[in-house]
Amino acid sequence: MARQIRLGTTVIDVAFKKIRNVHLSVHPPTGRISISAPEGMSMDTLRVFAIRKLTWIKQQQGRIRRQEREPPREFLDRESHFVWGRRYLLKLASSRSAPSIELKHRTLLLHAHPDSDRTRKEAALDAWYRRQLRDAASPIIRRWQQTIGVVAHRVYVQRMKTKWGSCNPKARSIRLNSELAKKPPECLEYIIVHELLHLIEPTHNERFIALMDRYMPHWPAHRDRLNQVPLRHEEWSY
């Protein structure tokens, strides 16, 4: 059964799961707040936790509400799309072959069947973004694994609704949001380092922050850069 914590006008949804740590999230586009907590943890304990995090919650809600967001895409000629932080204009080209994408100067050329609808065009572009990200991420991951001294046994690239990346320390795997292919390259590197360090420290505690400071001293600037560029409507600031 769903539970809630109310702190004045702030309402926090609480869900108990078979997990070890408390996870606090702020979700777009409205700034809805949720807590996932270990089974058996008391609501009083979670209330104290939420009170301590209230300033952070308000900051995240403010970022979400202020942040520029991409309008829904219709996949029409001269529509704007982002690739590695740069804006490109879409150009449609008729093709009887399988859909394909290529960049020409500041144009994103989408080859597709004349009868292709919006869903098929979007699927083709999403698949292209996944390939772009996978190709770009591989050498960065290899380099940082060697620098940090960790190994991610599996790396998944997929479109994610609420996170730029995630880590499963037990499975030694990380996931990267394919939408990162739209952001500046330094944003991808920041997320890779962030997730690899979660193989050492799973939580966002002081030890984790110290590790980020050690391996990527300017990480706050990269995080801010990531949060400054336009987001899709379902994404949130990391």
Side-chain angles (χ1 to χ4, degrees), residues 9-232:
T9 58
T10 301
V11 179
I12 304 171
D13 296 323
V14 177
F16 292 98
K17 302 179 180 180
K18 293 181 179 180
I19 55 179
R20 296 180 59 185
N21 300 301
V22 177
H23 298 284
L24 173 64
S25 301
V26 182
H27 306 275
T30 61
R32 181 180 68 85
I33 313 156
S34 69
I35 288 179
S36 297
E39 293 177 339
M41 183 171 286
S42 73
M43 290 294 289
D44 287 341
T45 299
L46 290 175
R47 184 178 181 83
V48 172
F49 171 83
I51 291 171
R52 291 175 176 172
K53 295 291 186 179
L54 195 54
T55 299
W56 180 86
I57 289 170
K58 296 297 185 182
Q59 290 173 344
Q60 297 306 311
Q61 288 179 323
R63 284 184 178 180
I64 287 172
R65 290 162 184 164
R66 291 192 303 271
Q67 196 157 358
E68 180 186 358
R69 296 188 179 275
E70 295 180 359
R73 294 299 187 235
E74 298 297 331
F75 295 90
L76 303 174
D77 269 334
R78 299 193 63 76
E79 186 177 64
S80 293
H81 290 261
F82 285 87
V83 182
W84 300 122
R86 300 183 68 186
R87 190 187 300 270
Y88 290 80
L89 295 181
L90 181 68
K91 182 175 178 58
L92 301 177
S94 179
S95 172
R96 297 289 175 177
S97 303
S100 63
I101 310 288
E102 61 178 313
L103 294 181
K104 286 191 173 182
H105 305 294
R106 299 307 296 271
T107 300
L108 193 154
L109 190 59
L110 170 57
H111 300 270
H113 192 280
D115 296 331
S116 293
D117 58 13
R118 176 187 175 281
T119 300
R120 291 183 179 179
K121 294 173 185 175
E122 183 175 18
L125 189 55
D126 283 346
W128 183 79
Y129 276 125
R130 287 196 299 274
R131 292 192 298 271
Q132 291 288 307
L133 190 74
R134 189 175 291 108
D135 291 345
S138 293
I140 299 173
I141 292 171
R142 287 195 298 268
R143 174 162 51 84
W144 277 103
Q145 284 183 147
Q146 185 175 4
T147 299
I148 297 171
V150 297
V151 175
H153 297 321
R154 292 184 180 276
V155 178
Y156 301 95
V157 174
Q158 64 187 77
R159 186 165 158 184
M160 303 165 71
K161 289 187 176 182
T162 59
K163 294 183 178 181
W164 293 116
S166 65
C167 175
N168 185 330
K170 186 175 181 179
R172 310 296 292 178
S173 66
I174 65 173
R175 294 179 185 274
L176 301 173
N177 191 336
S178 58
E179 294 291 303
L180 284 165
K182 298 181 179 181
K183 316 306 176 187
E186 61 267 25
C187 296
L188 170 60
E189 187 163 19
Y190 157 64
I191 293 299
I192 287 173
V193 174
H194 185 115
E195 301 309 335
L196 287 177
L197 287 176
H198 274 317
L199 295 174
I200 300 174
E201 174 50 59
T203 68
H204 292 105
N205 59 15
E206 291 182 2
R207 181 189 181 211
F208 178 80
I209 298 301
L211 287 168
M212 286 295 299
D213 289 342
R214 173 185 174 186
Y215 287 104
M216 185 174 274
H218 302 296
W219 67 268
H222 299 320
R223 178 198 58 195
D224 292 344
R225 176 64 174 145
L226 177 61
N227 293 334
Q228 286 170 0
V229 292
L231 296 176
R232 297 175 67 100

